[in-house]
Amino acid sequence: MAADPMDLFTRHEETLDKAVAAIRGRHFWTPYPESPSPRLYGEDAAPRGQAAFEAYLGRDFPLDQPSDGGRVATERSPYGIALEVGYPHADADTLVAAAGAALPSWRDAGVRARAGVCLEILDRLNKRSFEMAHAVQHTSGQAFVMAFQAGGPQAQDRGLEAVAYGYDLISAYASEARWEKPQRKGAPVAMDKRFHAVPRGVALVVGCNTFPTWNAYPGLFASLVTGNPVILKPHPRAVLPAAITVAVARDVLAEAGLDPNTVLLAAERPDERLAATLATRPEVRVVDFTGSTEFGEWLEANAAQAFVSTEKAGVNAVVVDSTDAYRGMLGNLAFSLSLYSGQMCTTPQNLFVPRGGIDTDEGPKSAEQVADDLAESIRGLLGEPARAAGVLGAIANDGVLARIEAAGGLGEAVLESAEVAHPDFPGAVLRTPVVVRLDADRREVYGREHFGPVSFVVTVDDTAHALRLLGETVTERGALTAAVYSTDESVLDEAERTALEAGVNLSANLTGQVFVNQSAAFSDYHGTGANPAATASLTDPSFVAGRFHFVQSRRPA
Amino acid sequence: MAADPMDLFTRHEETLDKAVAAIRGRHFWTPYPESPSPRLYGEDAAPRGQAAFEAYLGRDFPLDQPSDGGRVATERSPYGIALEVGYPHADADTLVAAAGAALPSWRDAGVRARAGVCLEILDRLNKRSFEMAHAVQHTSGQAFVMAFQAGGPQAQDRGLEAVAYGYDLISAYASEARWEKPQRKGAPVAMDKRFHAVPRGVALVVGCNTFPTWNAYPGLFASLVTGNPVILKPHPRAVLPAAITVAVARDVLAEAGLDPNTVLLAAERPDERLAATLATRPEVRVVDFTGSTEFGEWLEANAAQAFVSTEKAGVNAVVVDSTDAYRGMLGNLAFSLSLYSGQMCTTPQNLFVPRGGIDTDEGPKSAEQVADDLAESIRGLLGEPARAAGVLGAIANDGVLARIEAAGGLGEAVLESAEVAHPDFPGAVLRTPVVVRLDADRREVYGREHFGPVSFVVTVDDTAHALRLLGETVTERGALTAAVYSTDESVLDEAERTALEAGVNLSANLTGQVFVNQSAAFSDYHGTGANPAATASLTDPSFVAGRFHFVQSRRPA
């Protein structure tokens, strides 16, 4: 039975209002608890989620959408379990036609109905966060708790954030107005005007292997709330989280009496290059992409008909000048380098340390000592296999393994990578991080990205040199994150100025439970769009404003 | 003596707040009176403005900016008077370097100081609206009163509107925040965050011949308020209005202790192609353009490093279905077709009239009768030379003349163009409009733009056919405006839906003193960005949001 989508708006209006207040105030807020606690999600949420995940394995995923009848199964778990989930295949013509046919009704529903539908989708996804956690774990290789948090509530936060921006950017402007122009004599000239927010067209979201929901939800929900039907093209290795998302969305749409083809899954055959085909279709007017620099740049150059947002690669940097919490700094950095085996686009790669060493609360430390202490801190963090598995997760693909192998030869390895046995998954591929010490003159090495658990302690002349290298490498190759450690306010100011010039977000003196590679939705921007790592920021006004136009009509009152 | 730019913000804050309220509410508002009345602008404003204009003639324009010492003089008045104003020439290297050097101080001034400077510039331009009127008249060919209004207060409105959007889109989001994340045990994790709006880079505004201020101010002020220094490259035929604008801006900047090179004039030698050179410089990250489809599309394809907004050409359409104010409709259309000799990007070109005629308050009218009555209405409007000169203005360039000559051969001329003698300027080139009747099957003629006073009454099967042709021609070739006349609500609804699908702004049943080719800042959008005529709308959030990024820093509280 069709529900009125405006009921969904009413149901979620308070959450939406709070989300709008949060994106404007940048304070802490979330409606989706990040803790996988039975107290928060219910006693049976964990076993139900696991059962739901297991029910998918070895079967055709239950998704009723336009298809050519073929099935594709392209995933394999980095934890070694068999997945063998089959997804319906559809070609570009079918997908674009179905999405295009859904556009008018989705547009005409209006921003409030669309926001209501989006929030209902997110609410249902939140209730299925355990199911999603398993799906994300076994496609990305993230450890379970991280897969729960980053794949579930934190991804939902980023989706809601995008909805809030879209809703705010449309509803801030009157949709109707009486315009009355005073005249020198007589009554004013009066016009009645209506303003419609119309979508650009069909939207494409191209997902990645490592964060199949977190990186896809901003584009998905930003496009939806602004009226664009979305084709979600997941990475062939991480289809299940996208399929669950699409299935939930289509359920909500159908129940609201809307066209379920407003959200479609584009599961592709190996080497089909479906993303490139879809992205260059004239009907496709919005493209969101997370992945390689090569394909990101190809999209920017070739999807000229579309509003294209890309997140690619970068060389994230840390400047170590001084600290009054040496152990805290080492522990914080060790965790940042180890978390999900450095397979985050936000993991630091280059740690710039002055040749003459640094001042700390434990006295001066030489550059060599800092590197060795960092290595020791990582060893301590990962010494116990069960804990190590919970931090590291599994290696997502062979490319990462190859870079780990190659890293040792790039300089002086102060920490070598080791295999770790997973306590639950004997087939899991786990590796500890590599830390390599280099001199600043080896820019051909640290000046490019080595995605995975590979970091460089780069010896520099002094802090000014470190800041200059941070600015130059970020300007040349991009970065999602930068960090600085210093007890000197003037160094912190200079670092902030350097980051601002290079267009990268900066974290200073992180020694506790906030990590440079984590950003909090509604408050922290993920990326800036101001350096080569990404053309967009999750989420700022420009990420959303390019997805719709205002079209007006007017007539004499 | 340097004033604090924050004083300028304080001085103009109330105006800015009202502007923000107006862009959100879309109601009538303007701080700049459009009437050239001595009561509003002062008794001596008119003679002072004329004297200021005349003092420029035959001399070097007083503009102290980086230059190679050369002078360029490329203007000629469509009214036949000698201009011979020389402007300082600078090459792309000099301009880009000077603008780039101005960027940090302009960025660091902050959005409030920038808005204060922009509003002071606009306020001074407003006070010089008579001077500007002469400058616009003798470069564009607009008649004096129109040049006053569209070149002065209405252009200033559009500039202020852009400032309001930029100020609102930046200041709506907190620039500082304390983020406190609750913990299960103990005190919250607290971070102090700062958010900087940083500009994309150096901005380029490429002006046009016909509206040298109105079409340039949105980009100029949108870029300025968001922190981008601007190089204003005027059309070689319309440099003076830009030079006055740049001179005023540089005065205000210098007085506020800021770098005057935040705004620069790029006067070019004939055939120098300075716009293309500047637009493809890596430092130039924002480009605004008004002009030909050919160069607009070239910029979109070749200035890939920049956020590019273009306004090009289109085929504006009117659907005539029925009316209860036949004389009012004819009078309104006659004025729209005649105003500034159709040299507006918003002038209707194609009037679709059903073959079987239309119902009116004066009884049924055949399609032939409608065309003849429209011709008669234009003749009546332009029968008296002084009044005709005030409506028509002068023909801006030979391209327009050539299209007038060619138009008669395109179909049945129901109104032929005639020369008009200007009462004050014997050398002025004035022409009345051409109206040609065609059948709908002559799409190769009316399906492309004939910029100037050339319109087609296109006979169609019926209103549904008219709406289909409106949708198709706008989708194919773009349009800035569309209009419909009907007494039938269902036709008006269908027209609105067609306009929405084609992405064009629609005016319905204009029979009085509001014209389809005029849009009111703060309320009406100029263009939509949703059809091939323009990639941007003056002004909506997306026109401004792409000009800056947020870059944040955070540290433990």
Side-chain angles (χ1 to χ4, degrees), chain A residues 229-306:
Chain A
V230 176
I231 300 169
L232 178 50
K233 206 298 289 175
H235 192 282
R237 290 281 185 82
V239 186
L240 185 55
I244 294 169
T245 303
V246 170
V248 167
R250 294 175 62 87
D251 281 351
V252 173
L253 286 159
E255 289 171 30
L258 291 159
D259 188 339
N261 291 338
T262 303
V263 181
L264 291 156
L265 183 74
E268 67 180 329
R269 298 195 192 94
D271 305 318
E272 189 179 355
R273 286 187 63 77
L274 189 52
T277 305
L278 286 167
T280 49
R281 289 285 299 233
E283 302 92 334
V284 171
R285 302 295 312 279
V286 182
V287 175
D288 288 277
F289 168 75
T290 310
S292 72
T293 297
E294 186 190 359
F295 190 51
E297 291 180 347
W298 186 92
L299 286 170
E300 290 164 20
N302 289 279
Q305 85 293 353

Side-chain angles (χ1 to χ4, degrees), chain B residues 156-174:
Chain B
Q156 296 145 17
D157 276 345
R158 284 289 180 195
L160 175 54
E161 181 183 57
V163 174
Y165 271 96
Y167 174 75
D168 193 28
L169 279 176
I170 290 175
S171 59
Y173 305 97

Side-chain angles (χ1 to χ4, degrees), chain B residues 198-262:
Chain B
V198 303
R200 275 186 71 92
V202 173
L204 171 68
V205 175
V206 182
C208 66
N209 188 1
T210 47
F211 289 90
T213 56
W214 197 97
N215 274 101
Y217 284 5
L220 169 65
F221 285 99
S223 281
L224 284 178
V225 74
T226 52
N228 306 272
V230 176
I231 300 170
L232 179 51
K233 207 298 290 174
H235 192 281
R237 292 280 185 82
V239 186
L240 185 55
I244 294 169
T245 304
V246 169
V248 168
R250 293 175 63 86
D251 282 350
V252 173
L253 285 160
E255 289 171 32
L258 291 159
D259 189 339
N261 291 336
T262 303

Side-chain angles (χ1 to χ4, degrees), chain A residues 143 146 330-344 347-348 374-375 377-383 387-395 415 431-435 452-455 515 517:
Chain A
M146 178 171 174
L330 293 172
N332 188 282
L333 286 173
F335 186 80
S336 291
L337 299 182
S338 303
L339 182 63
Y340 186 29
S341 301
Q343 297 171 115
M344 301 174 74
T347 304
L374 178 63
S377 195
I378 295 171
R379 274 187 215 103
L381 175 69
L382 305 176
R387 186 178 176 202
V391 173
L392 291 172
I395 300 299
L415 181 67
R431 294 286 187 280
T432 62
V434 189
V435 178
V454 176
S455 298
F515 302 96
N517 36 349

Side-chain angles (χ1 to χ4, degrees), chain A residues 382-442:
Chain A
L382 305 176
E384 198 273 304
R387 186 178 176 202
V391 173
L392 291 172
I395 300 299
N397 58 55
D398 294 342
V400 175
L401 277 181
R403 282 188 290 275
I404 295 171
E405 297 300 322
L410 298 173
E412 176 201 344
V414 295
L415 181 67
E416 307 216 19
S417 180
E419 298 190 19
V420 178
H422 196 288
D424 302 324
F425 298 104
V429 179
L430 273 63
R431 294 286 187 280
T432 62
V434 189
V435 178
V436 171
R437 204 148 66 84
L438 287 176
D439 195 76
D441 62 5
R442 300 289 306 286

Side-chain angles (χ1 to χ4, degrees), chain A residues 23-29 34-35 39 104 107-108 154 165 168-169 172-174 176-184 189 191 193-196 198 200 285 489 492-493 496-497 499-501 503-511 513-521 523-530 535 537 540-542 545-546 548-556, chain B residues 23-29 34-35 39 104 107-108 154 165 168-169 172-174 176-184 189 191 193-196 198 200 285 489 492-493 496-497 499-501 503-511 513-521 523-530 535 537 540-542 545-546 548-556:
Chain A
I23 59 169
R24 289 172 167 257
R26 317 305 299 172
H27 49 265
F28 174 84
W29 180 75
E34 70 179 3
S35 165
R39 191 174 49 80
R107 175 193 66 205
D108 294 346
Q154 290 167 0
Y165 270 96
D168 193 27
L169 279 176
Y173 306 96
E176 297 185 355
R178 165 71 58 95
W179 179 88
E180 291 186 307
K181 181 177 181 177
Q183 301 296 296
R184 274 181 69 186
V189 173
M191 300 285 288
K193 305 184 180 185
R194 289 202 283 196
F195 307 94
H196 306 271
V198 303
R200 277 186 69 94
R285 302 295 312 279
E489 272 300 322
L492 294 176
D493 285 350
E496 185 160 352
R497 189 165 187 87
L500 197 144
E501 298 269 0
V504 64
N505 296 325
L506 180 73
S507 297
N509 292 335
L510 297 183
T511 56
Q513 292 305 301
V514 173
F515 302 96
V516 65
N517 36 349
Q518 294 181 327
S519 65
S523 180
D524 292 324
Y525 294 103
H526 173 76
T528 64
T535 64
S537 173
D540 70 4
S542 77
F548 69 96
H549 305 286
F550 283 113
V551 178
Q552 80 167 91
S553 65
R554 59 180 183 175
R555 62 165 85 172
Chain B
I23 58 169
R24 290 171 168 260
R26 316 305 298 173
H27 48 265
F28 175 83
W29 181 75
E34 70 179 3
S35 165
R39 191 173 49 80
R107 175 193 65 204
D108 295 346
Q154 289 167 0
Y165 271 96
D168 193 28
L169 279 176
Y173 305 97
E176 296 186 355
R178 167 71 59 96
W179 178 87
E180 292 186 305
K181 181 177 180 177
Q183 301 296 296
R184 273 181 70 185
V189 173
M191 300 286 288
K193 305 186 179 185
R194 289 202 283 195
F195 307 94
H196 306 271
V198 303
R200 275 186 71 92
R285 304 294 311 281
E489 273 300 323
L492 294 175
D493 285 349
E496 185 160 351
R497 188 166 188 85
L500 198 144
E501 299 269 358
V504 64
N505 296 325
L506 179 74
S507 296
N509 292 334
L510 298 183
T511 56
Q513 292 306 304
V514 173
F515 302 96
V516 65
N517 37 348
Q518 294 181 326
S519 65
S523 181
D524 291 324
Y525 294 103
H526 173 75
T528 63
T535 65
S537 174
D540 69 4
S542 77
F548 69 96
H549 304 286
F550 284 114
V551 178
Q552 79 167 90
S553 66
R554 60 180 182 175
R555 63 165 85 172

Side-chain angles (χ1 to χ4, degrees), chain B residues 82-163:
Chain B
L83 297 175
E84 301 297 337
V85 190
Y87 304 96
H89 182 266
D91 62 16
D93 284 346
T94 302
L95 293 165
V96 169
L103 189 148
S105 56
W106 186 237
R107 175 193 65 204
D108 295 346
V111 70
R112 303 210 303 168
R114 291 196 301 265
V117 167
C118 288
L119 265 78
E120 178 67 16
I121 295 168
L122 288 163
D123 185 55
R124 294 195 195 181
L125 287 169
N126 180 250
K127 293 184 170 65
R128 292 167 71 166
S129 292
F130 282 90
E131 173 187 336
M132 185 62 82
H134 291 283
V136 169
Q137 176 181 19
H138 284 286
T139 49
S140 70
Q142 292 175 28
F144 181 79
V145 172
M146 179 171 172
F148 180 91
Q149 295 183 333
Q154 289 167 0
Q156 296 145 17
D157 276 345
R158 284 289 180 195
L160 175 54
E161 181 183 57
V163 174

